[in-house]
């Protein structure tokens, strides 16, 4: 029996301000699964919703502090500051039997230059909803 897996994008975007000026542009696009066994679907969706919540919290606290320090330093020295553009996205392969690989891609850019990237993958058991 073939899985009728369906994936939709969950999108969150926010412009983070420091002293009323943009310091960072944050974007999170993570998967929302449907057409799976109820428990598996709930586990997988809960995992990515939690990841989105953690990313939002990190952006609004740690990232904003770091970008704000650089923004204020640039302002103090009369230099321009382009807001950081930070994203957390995913790439899902085609299901292989009863498994699915999902990669999370983190990227931080400024003025079109990539400052940092990271990629982490998980393979999911589509029947149980647990990573394998």
């Amino acid at each position: 029996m073939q899985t009728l897996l369906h994936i939709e994008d969950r999108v969150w975007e926010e412009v983070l301000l420091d002293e009323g000026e943009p310091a960072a542009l944050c974007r999170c696009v993570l998967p929302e699964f449907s057409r799976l066994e109820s428990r598996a679907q709930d586990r997988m969706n809960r995992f990515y919703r939690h990841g989105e919540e953690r990313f939002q919290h990190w952006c609004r606290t740690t990232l904003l502090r770091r970008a704000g320090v650089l923004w204020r330093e640039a302002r103090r020295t009369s230099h321009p500051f382009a807001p950081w553009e930070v994203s957390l996205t995913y790439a899902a392969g085609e299901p292989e039997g009863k498994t699915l690989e999902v990669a999370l891609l983190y990227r931080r850019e400024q003025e079109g230059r990539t400052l940092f990237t990271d990629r982490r993958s998980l393979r999911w058991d589509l029947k149980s909803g647990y990573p394998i």
Side-chain angles (χ1 to χ4, degrees), residues 111-122:
E111 294 185 313
R113 289 185 345 230
T114 300
L115 303 175
F116 183 81
T117 61
D118 192 21
R119 177 188 170 104
R120 305 283 167 102
S121 294
L122 277 177

Side-chain angles (χ1 to χ4, degrees), residues 69-120:
V69 166
L70 293 177
W71 180 86
R72 287 188 297 282
E73 178 64 22
R75 182 173 158 194
R76 187 181 67 73
T77 60
S78 298
H79 286 90
F81 177 80
W84 283 350
E85 296 177 39
V86 179
S87 64
L88 179 63
T89 59
Y90 76 98
E94 288 295 318
E96 297 174 11
K98 295 184 182 193
T99 67
L100 174 72
E101 184 171 338
V102 179
L104 292 179
L105 312 159
Y106 171 80
R107 177 180 225 93
R108 187 172 67 220
E109 299 177 332
Q110 188 176 34
E111 294 185 313
R113 289 185 345 230
T114 300
L115 303 175
F116 183 81
T117 61
D118 192 21
R119 177 188 170 104
R120 305 283 167 102

